[in-house]
Amino acid sequence: MMHRSLHYYSRVNMPLKLELIAAACENMGIGINGDLPWRLKTEMAYFTHMTTDTEDKNKKNVVLMGRHTWECIPEKYRPLENRINMVLTSQSLDYGDKAITCKSIPHAIELITEMQNQIERVWVIGGSKVYKNAMESPYFGRLYLTRIKKEFECDTFFPPIPNNFVLIKDPAVPQDIQEEKGIQFVYEVYEKDN
Ligand SMILES: NC(=O)c1ccc[n+]([C@@H]2O[C@H](COP(=O)([O-])OP(=O)(O)OC[C@H]3O[C@@H](n4cnc5c(N)ncnc54)[C@H](OP(=O)(O)O)[C@@H]3O)[C@@H](O)[C@H]2O)c1
């Protein structure tokens, strides 16, 4: 896979882009029985800091997810704190002030655009169809993918990564091999090669 290194740039005032973040095992699984197939605290901490941190302290990031993913988050951790939670659903659901519901990705983009001055980054956090739609969207920006170097039994999978995606380096992302509970994993970042 070709590597392209980038200069780090300020995200403040960056035009709207969807940034995907996912962890997948060797068989590209991401979930089982409405849960994660693994418990990796370091990986979870990486997810939290990547999706929460902002350069501009007056702004927040969005976490955009499918309804199942929302339901998979234990109630005590819902909404994901210090982030604007948005849930995709075709149903008329009301999560009160915990999360904003949206009917489609274009609808989510419309709502995000209305709040754009309060938002720094838009993180798409799953599941399968949401990742697929976001990778096909003209708003696709980056894919942050943790590759877990082990097979797990899964019932939900990350969609195929398009051929024109290339690995890049983000200085915010550790390059070295991570290890927890004897399980190795690496943090990868992809962009679309135009
Ligand atoms: N490893 C990881 O990084 C990771 C990340 C996220 C999730 N997961 C795992 O993945 C599993 C959940 O993912 P999933 O793929 O089953 O479900 P999901 O994508 O979270 O949720 C699917 C639901 O979201 C709604 N939805 C999705 N796309 C939509 C769209 N474009 N427009 C309107 N509504 C849309 C629909 O809700 P309605 O039925 O209400 O219409 C759909 O039934 C769990 O096991 C979870 O633990 C893993």
Side-chain angles (χ1 to χ4, degrees), residues 44-154:
M44 194 56 87
Y46 171 77
F47 168 85
T48 302
H49 112 83
M50 290 302 287
T51 58
T52 308
D53 293 359
T54 54
E55 282 181 15
D56 181 339
K57 296 299 161 206
N58 295 316
K59 292 187 176 182
K60 280 187 180 174
N61 295 329
V62 164
V63 279
L64 174 63
M65 71 200 93
R67 178 179 56 82
H68 294 162
T69 298
W70 168 260
E71 287 170 0
C72 292
I73 303 169
E75 215 169 332
K76 62 176 175 177
Y77 298 119
R78 251 173 21 204
L80 294 177
E81 67 176 356
N82 300 321
R83 288 152 282 184
I84 299 166
N85 288 233
M86 293 182 75
V87 181
L88 285 158
T89 176
S90 60
Q91 305 175 61
S92 309
L93 297 171
D94 185 358
Y95 298 116
D97 55 10
K98 289 190 173 158
I100 300 166
T101 52
C102 33
K103 291 182 177 57
S104 62
I105 291 195
H107 183 217
I109 304 263
E110 200 182 300
L111 297 176
I112 290 164
T113 308
E114 282 168 17
M115 306 185 276
Q116 210 169 4
N117 55 352
Q118 308 161 44
I119 293 169
E120 193 162 297
R121 297 175 84 169
V122 180
W123 289 100
V124 173
I125 65 162
S128 295
K129 201 178 90 181
V130 186
Y131 286 136
K132 184 170 188 295
N133 290 344
M135 287 198 293
E136 291 166 356
S137 160
Y139 293 97
F140 171 81
R142 280 183 181 176
L143 163 63
Y144 288 75
L145 181 65
T146 304
R147 299 262 192 191
I148 298 171
K149 298 183 171 294
K150 193 181 163 174
E151 283 203 15
F152 286 85
E153 191 192 343
C154 293

Side-chain angles (χ1 to χ4, degrees), residues 30-42:
I30 60 167
I32 186 151
N33 300 329
D35 203 352
L36 295 177
W38 46 78
R39 283 275 169 274
L40 297 171
K41 278 190 181 170
T42 343

Side-chain angles (χ1 to χ4, degrees), residues 17-20 134 137-143 190-192:
K17 289 281 180 204
L18 299 174
E19 301 189 86
L20 283 62
S137 160
Y139 293 97
F140 171 81
R142 280 183 181 176
L143 163 63
Y190 292 85
E191 268 185 3
K192 205 185 276 183

